[in-house]
Amino acid sequence: AALLSSSFRSSPRPSKPLKVVIAGAGLAGLSTAKYLADAGHKPVLLEARDVLGGKISLVNTKWVDQKSQLRPRYFLKPRADDVPWPFILDFKLDSHTHLNDVQWLHGKMTMEIGTKQACIYSFIDLSIRCNFGYFIAALTESLFCLLQVGAYPNVQNLFGELGINDRLQWKEHSMIFAMPNKPGEFSRFDFPEVLPAPLNESEIRIKSFGNKDGDGALGFEGVETSKTCRKMYRKEGILAILKNNEMLTWPEKVKFAIGLLPAMVGGQAYVEAQDGLSVKEWMKKQGVPDRVTTEVFIAMSKALNFINPDELSMQCILIALNRFLQEKHGSKMAFLDGNPPERLCMPIVDHIQSLGGEVKLNSRIKKIELNDDGTVKSFLLNSGDVIEGDVYVFATPVDILKLLLPDNWKEIPYFKKLEKLVGVPVINVHIWFDRKLKNTYDHLLFSRSPLLSVYADMSVTCKEYYDPKQSMLELVFAPAEEWISRSDSEIIDATMGELARLFPDEISTDQSKAKIVKYHVVKTPRSVYKTIPDCEPCRPLQRSPIEGFYLAGDYTKQKYLASMEGAVLSGKLCTQAIVQDYELLVARGQRELTEATIG
Ligand code: FAD
């Protein structure tokens, strides 16, 4: 990861820096812009929303509550007092509490009156549901503090480059599962930090080699782990599994280990070959007992892709297992210490701007306009502005790209195969309780309940939300297909039902125990692409067949799953492709100039 990053900084300065127009300031777009700026080019990053970060900034609205300890940053002022229900209105956002933050926004929102809570429905068709009658506190502060896995070399390298390593709150090296059969109890997989001699770390030697395109099969990118080292990591992961006796019996563990053997010896080639099978099918084929899937892989599938093992591609699990088992800190997790737009995205923007790049919010691309030869002429924005560049990058979610694809590109196989990649629905639920819950850890927890996936008590895990007196649970509600169109209160009731089963001493559905102070429900109808079998061949490379047009995004081809790491790496690979194509791109620009002059 570090090698690839430094290759951009140390590459010869371009005689004519390219103006690269990038759509979408999620992690992929930010990463593309950052590394292009490092390579001496001029990125212009255009973000549709008024907030940076895309999926890592699941936007929340905060309902105005004078007694609340929350500090709303922006207020929505309706232009008309008397509005029908439901309605569309133009709105303006301006700063209320922080004069420094004054921002003006124009747009359209669909609003429903009468619900107590506020929530943004989606990034795609930005609509908002909220409590009306007061000014409505809106957005930008995300409560979703993402966790990050230790096997994320590119994300870690990025934090290092930005000098913000101290913003990562590392947790114990464990995976912790709730025990639905033993309410209130948890079962842990503890990964030993120090292995007994001769397995201890001093035995581990790391051999470096130049893997500049990030396609290495296993181990850290840019760093190939030696055979000894791989064995250690495997032992560390396997020890964690073997030491846990609460979830799996010994015969189940043995059968599972035997089933996994081909993956361990077959490496990446084997992993990729399993893309055609769902997790459930693979387990059956390998003779792994059903209980292993029920006990462990439902939780893992939901955590990785928000779907169940009968839908998820086994490749997805094997990629994750490889990281967990093969890399020393593969399963180590960290929480960002506060809201991602401010704590992670802003430093990237500062970096881009310090090198002459631009980042513009509220700049939604409406159309990709083409030249006669089918290459990109410009991006047309919703505002009517037309943005031209030497090179164009689309770093939006795949669903948006498909909506905006020009007609005469649609039949090109590179774009046509994108049809198979479709964002999966997911719901985030935030609940503030009136008391501190005892049954929580300073960690991410796997709920292992039918409706929920992972969750965390943010009042314990994340600095920005520390509270010694009241818990705030952030929960991922998945699979969400059946729930995405239901009301917030139905979702909260269902969530409370699940929590009551898991923690009967502390939570009950009638709230006679812990009481809800407030809640948010954030629905994302299209999040990361649904990793069902046979998706892998449909993931596009960053360089498209259209000269001067590139893609970045977690769904594009890179060795990680649709994740933060995947998004950051995709931005680097996109930058790498542009840097490699530099001569061609400059020649293309000159050709266009000549044609325009003659014309
Ligand atoms: P996005 O983040 O979707 O960014 C795309 C950007 O394009 C957005 O900012 C969007 O507003 C913008 N855009 C859209 N349309 C336009 C347009 N027309 N013009 C201009 N801009 C446009 N990953 C992890 O590694 N760890 C986790 O713990 C984790 N948890 C997750 C939990 C949830 C609930 C979700 C939904 C995802 C989670 N992920 C996690 C996945 C991770 O967040 C994503 O893989 C990653 O952030 C995707 O980044 P991206 O830049 O590819 O896409």
Side-chain angles (χ1 to χ4, degrees):
L3 210 71
L4 186 54
S5 297
S6 66
S7 74
F8 300 130
R9 289 192 298 273
S10 58
S11 61
R13 296 300 87 182
S15 49
K16 179 193 176 304
L18 298 168
K19 177 180 174 188
V20 186
V21 185
I22 306 162
L27 270 185
L30 286 162
S31 156
T32 311
K34 180 206 177 278
Y35 292 107
L36 279 168
D38 283 350
H41 297 290
K42 296 286 166 232
V44 178
L45 183 54
L46 305 171
E47 168 53 45
R49 299 191 297 147
D50 64 320
V51 61
L52 298 161
K55 289 189 200 42
I56 61 162
S57 68
L58 291 182
V59 178
N60 288 305
T61 52
K62 288 171 182 171
W63 116 68
V64 181
D65 172 2
Q66 299 300 329
K67 291 178 214 135
S68 160
Q69 292 171 353
L70 295 171
R71 287 173 294 109
R73 290 178 60 194
Y74 300 100
F75 282 77
L76 178 67
K77 288 181 181 171
R79 285 194 182 147
D81 289 339
D82 186 17
V83 278
W85 180 92
F87 60 92
I88 307 267
L89 87 165
D90 281 325
F91 68 93
K92 276 186 175 185
L93 295 178
D94 69 352
S95 168
H96 179 71
T97 45
H98 300 280
L99 287 179
N100 293 342
D101 283 342
V102 173
Q103 286 206 1
W104 290 90
L105 292 169
H106 298 270
K108 288 200 168 183
M109 283 182 170
T110 310
M111 313 192 81
E112 287 177 27
I113 310 170
T115 55
K116 210 171 179 197
Q117 301 297 321
C119 104
I120 281 226
Y121 257 85
S122 78
F123 308 134
I124 300 166
D125 42 14
L126 185 69
S127 58
I128 193 170
R129 201 200 261 218
C130 50
N131 177 26
F132 212 68
Y134 297 90
F135 290 144
I136 292 143
L139 345 179
T140 80
E141 239 174 277
S142 168
L143 296 169
F144 181 64
C145 288
L146 46 115
L147 63 123
Q148 202 226 333
V149 180
Y152 279 5
N154 290 286
V155 170
Q156 286 192 58
N157 174 244
L158 178 64
F159 271 75
E161 288 175 321
L162 298 168
I164 55 168
N165 274 330
D166 58 340
R167 296 184 186 185
L168 284 174
Q169 293 184 257
W170 289 97
K171 305 300 173 192
E172 280 176 348
H173 197 177
S174 305
M175 288 171 85
I176 307 177
F177 292 76
M179 299 287 283
N181 308 335
K182 296 181 190 166
E185 288 184 31
F186 292 89
S187 180
R188 301 172 63 116
F189 289 86
D190 291 313
F191 295 77
E193 286 294 332
V194 182
L195 292 170
L199 305 181
N200 60 27
E201 273 187 71
S202 60
E203 301 267 322
I204 296 172
R205 283 189 307 279
I206 299 206
K207 192 176 79 186
S208 253
F209 87 119
N211 175 3
K212 54 183 177 9
D213 61 8
D215 276 343
L218 297 169
F220 292 105
E221 185 200 340
V223 179
E224 171 78 315
T225 47
S226 73
K227 274 193 181 150
T228 343
C229 181
R230 275 198 205 161
K231 266 193 222 143
M232 297 303 151
Y233 295 161
R234 254 181 229 167
K235 279 180 179 133
E236 195 186 46
I238 285 171
L239 265 181
I241 295 172
L242 294 182
K243 270 173 38 192
N244 179 297
N245 289 320
E246 289 137 334
M247 284 167 64
L248 299 177
T249 63
W250 271 100
E252 284 164 350
K253 284 190 265 193
V254 170
K255 284 192 179 147
F256 177 41
I258 294 171
L260 265 185
L261 274 180
M264 287 175 155
V265 292
Q268 189 73 4
Y270 177 85
V271 170
E272 281 177 15
Q274 307 314 304
D275 183 41
L277 294 177
S278 71
V279 176
K280 213 169 165 187
E281 287 164 344
W282 186 89
M283 296 287 168
K284 202 165 179 186
K285 183 176 130 235
Q286 295 303 110
V288 179
D290 284 349
R291 243 183 51 85
V292 176
T293 306
T294 324
E295 290 293 294
V296 181
F297 287 101
I298 293 181
M300 239 179 131
S301 303
K302 295 206 307 180
L304 288 172
N305 200 236
F306 316 128
I307 54 178
N308 276 319
D310 54 340
E311 289 200 285
L312 185 70
S313 158
M314 188 61 196
Q315 192 204 19
C316 189
I317 294 275
L318 289 175
I319 290 174
L321 276 180
N322 260 337
R323 303 275 165 258
F324 288 0
L325 298 181
Q326 307 273 358
E327 295 176 11
K328 181 160 166 51
H329 296 298
S331 50
K332 207 162 178 181
M333 296 176 196
F335 279 60
L336 190 62
D337 66 355
N339 73 85
E342 236 172 78
R343 303 296 289 168
L344 171 56
C345 302
M346 267 322 287
I348 307 179
V349 170
D350 291 342
H351 180 88
I352 295 166
Q353 289 173 338
S354 73
L355 294 173
E358 293 174 56
V359 182
K360 297 179 180 175
L361 297 179
N362 306 305
S363 304
R364 184 179 292 272
I365 283 106
K366 185 169 143 191
K367 193 170 174 215
I368 302 173
E369 295 188 310
L370 300 188
N371 293 308
D372 293 342
D373 65 357
T375 57
V376 182
K377 184 176 173 211
S378 58
F379 284 166
L380 173 65
L381 306 192
N382 263 2
S383 61
D385 289 350
V386 173
I387 312 287
E388 289 187 5
D390 303 308
V391 181
Y392 299 86
V393 176
F394 238 68
T396 68
V398 66
D399 302 280
I400 303 282
L401 170 67
K402 286 191 286 183
L403 283 176
L404 295 180
L405 268 185
D407 284 341
N408 46 346
W409 288 5
K410 284 186 180 155
E411 291 309 311
I412 301 173
Y414 173 90
F415 295 113
K416 191 153 177 57
K417 65 186 185 178
L418 298 180
E419 278 166 19
K420 178 122 199 211
L421 306 179
V422 178
V424 64
V426 67
I427 300 171
N428 262 56
V429 177
H430 307 131
I431 306 180
W432 283 258
F433 286 100
D434 66 344
R435 66 197 69 183
K436 200 80 177 165
L437 300 171
K438 294 187 197 82
N439 257 320
T440 58
Y441 276 91
D442 179 11
H443 214 295
L444 180 86
L445 302 165
F446 291 79
S447 77
R448 297 210 302 152
S449 80
L451 296 178
L452 302 176
S453 173
V454 289
Y455 71 96
D457 184 344
M458 303 296 278
S459 74
V460 179
T461 52
C462 175
K463 235 182 228 169
E464 189 170 322
Y465 306 108
Y466 278 166
D467 188 333
K469 295 204 178 104
Q470 295 182 328
S471 283
M472 192 281 260
L473 295 192
E474 174 158 355
L475 309 112
V476 177
F477 194 105
E481 194 89 53
E482 283 178 31
W483 288 84
I484 200 84
S485 53
R486 302 226 199 156
S487 71
D488 291 359
S489 54
E490 278 179 283
I491 292 165
I492 289 294
D493 288 348
T495 305
M496 286 297 280
E498 300 286 88
L499 290 175
R501 270 188 291 281
L502 286 172
F503 311 110
D505 292 345
E506 299 193 85
I507 296 177
S508 62
T509 45
D510 63 1
Q511 295 189 46
S512 54
K513 294 166 187 166
K515 290 184 181 38
I516 296 180
V517 177
K518 57 191 163 201
Y519 64 77
H520 290 161
V521 176
V522 185
K523 296 176 177 176
T524 311
R526 296 265 179 265
S527 71
V528 294
Y529 80 93
K530 192 171 177 179
T531 317
I532 52 176
D534 297 322
C535 272
E536 197 56 34
C538 304
R539 294 175 75 178
L541 289 170
Q542 286 72 28
R543 182 187 287 113
S544 88
I546 307 293
E547 221 175 72
F549 184 76
Y550 298 80
L551 297 180
D554 59 1
Y555 69 94
T556 61
K557 192 86 180 160
Q558 39 80 20
K559 66 175 177 163
Y560 292 88
L561 306 170
S563 60
M564 294 165 53
E565 172 71 6
V568 171
L569 177 56
S570 77
K572 287 167 99 164
L573 295 177
C574 180
T575 302
Q576 190 182 43
I578 294 171
V579 170
Q580 282 168 353
D581 295 349
Y582 175 69
E583 298 297 341
L584 192 127
L585 294 164
V586 171
R588 181 177 163 264
Q590 275 162 355
R591 213 170 52 230
E592 273 177 11
L593 198 68
T594 317
E595 279 165 14
T597 318
I598 295 168

